[in-house]
Amino acid sequence: MDMDKVKQLQEFVDDSNRIVFFGGAGVSTESGIPDFRSVDGLYNQKYDYPPEQILSHTFFMHKPKEFYRFYYDKIMITGIEPNAAHKKLAELEKAGKLDAVVTQNIDGLHQKAGSKKVFELHGSTLRNYCMKCGEFYDGDYILSCKDKSDFDGIPRCEKCGEIIKPDVVLYEEGLDDYQVSGSVNAISNADMLIIGGTSLAVYPAAGLINYFRGKHLVLINKGETSRQTSADLVITDPIGQVLDMITC
């Protein structure tokens, strides 16, 4: 751990009152959730279809059974808990230092840790809706359908029998306008932006950081990102360990 960089991060935090955190899969890997692009991530594992194809709108509509087989196995991970990064961000918000969390993750761990203002760019596995009547179902209901022989593993609405779709943004689908506008507003008004656990490779989400015009830009990520040259501080240590050392 580079303590000089941690000290500088603390100084930036002390100097800021409108911090926004922009995070990706690397924030949740310390909770046991695999990321998408690391050596052991989802994109480097072999299935009958590439993960990018399975997690597309077209595939979901045409092969829902195969979609949900992958979804149960690799996306709906149970027993996960917030890690030190999630908890520290919630503490910073409670202390009045952090304005918002903008996340590309769909696991709901920021809210579980106590964060109140969270913009979920790619949706959440905790919300699911019937494609016909719009009835809401939580993640537990989706998991309960996994072994139902009459459903053949496909979650269906108890009211109308139609297929239930997770409220997650699949490939070929656009981002939610409310989540995007809220993220843009938060980032535009931030005096400090912490980008953590993301390679900034997923667009259009990654492009939102272009709206930052504040004083301190910090990158905390194990791998390289395209924004390192423009950052005021770059830290390559595990994000949970780094944020855990910051005081509010």
Side-chain angles (χ1 to χ4, degrees):
M1 182 75 68
D2 190 328
M3 297 308 299
D4 288 336
K5 289 189 174 183
V6 173
K7 181 180 179 181
Q8 187 175 3
L9 175 60
Q10 181 69 66
E11 291 173 353
F12 285 174
V13 169
D14 293 341
D15 186 48
S16 306
N17 294 296
R18 297 188 310 278
I19 302 171
V20 169
F21 179 82
F22 182 96
V27 179
S28 292
T29 53
E30 292 173 47
S31 290
I33 298 178
D35 70 11
F36 280 71
R37 287 176 173 79
S38 68
V39 174
D40 298 317
L42 293 182
Y43 285 105
N44 289 284
Q45 300 180 28
K46 294 182 179 179
Y47 297 89
D48 291 339
Y49 302 90
E52 299 96 326
Q53 183 178 353
I54 297 174
L55 296 174
S56 69
H57 178 82
T58 298
F59 193 92
F60 175 82
M61 297 301 294
H62 289 88
K63 296 180 181 293
K65 182 177 180 179
E66 286 80 1
F67 171 90
Y68 270 110
R69 184 181 296 118
F70 178 89
Y71 191 77
Y72 289 133
D73 186 34
K74 295 298 180 183
I75 306 298
M76 291 293 289
I77 300 174
T78 60
I80 57 173
E81 295 294 333
N83 59 54
H86 299 107
K87 294 175 182 177
K88 182 60 64 174
L89 292 169
E91 289 179 20
L92 287 167
E93 181 185 41
K94 188 175 181 179
K97 301 288 287 183
L98 185 139
D99 273 0
V101 169
V102 179
T103 181
Q104 300 174 84
N105 296 337
I106 58 176
D107 49 48
L109 289 180
H110 284 293
Q111 292 92 328
K112 194 171 185 178
S115 290
K116 304 299 182 183
K117 193 172 182 181
V118 181
F119 295 105
E120 298 173 307
L121 294 175
H122 296 154
S124 173
T125 61
L126 307 183
R127 299 187 301 270
N128 307 271
Y129 298 93
C130 172
M131 296 184 67
K132 182 177 181 180
C133 70
E135 183 70 11
F136 169 83
Y137 292 92
D138 61 18
D140 289 337
Y141 179 81
I142 301 302
L143 285 172
S144 74
C145 298
K146 180 178 180 180
D147 299 316
K148 287 185 177 180
S149 59
D150 54 333
F151 283 7
D152 200 23
I154 303 174
R156 295 186 178 277
C157 180
E158 293 184 333
K159 288 190 173 182
C160 68
E162 184 57 81
I163 293 175
I164 297 170
K165 182 183 181 297
D167 187 21
V168 299
V169 179
L170 302 177
Y171 287 102
E172 304 169 347
E173 296 179 345
L175 303 184
D176 179 81
D177 289 342
Y178 171 79
Q179 302 296 333
V180 172
S181 61
S183 300
V184 169
N185 183 64
I187 294 172
S188 298
N189 289 288
D191 56 8
M192 177 177 180
L193 179 62
I194 303 175
I195 301 172
T198 174
S199 61
L200 297 177
V202 178
Y203 284 81
L208 297 181
I209 66 174
N210 292 327
Y211 288 94
F212 178 65
R213 295 293 184 270
K215 188 175 182 181
H216 304 300
L217 176 60
V218 177
L219 293 179
I220 308 175
N221 193 55
K222 290 182 178 180
E224 294 186 358
T225 73
S226 60
R227 300 304 179 102
Q228 288 186 196
T229 57
S230 60
D232 300 298
L233 177 63
V234 177
I235 302 176
T236 56
D237 294 303
I239 189 168
Q241 295 179 25
V242 173
L243 293 184
D244 196 38
M245 301 183 74
I246 299 302
T247 59
C248 300

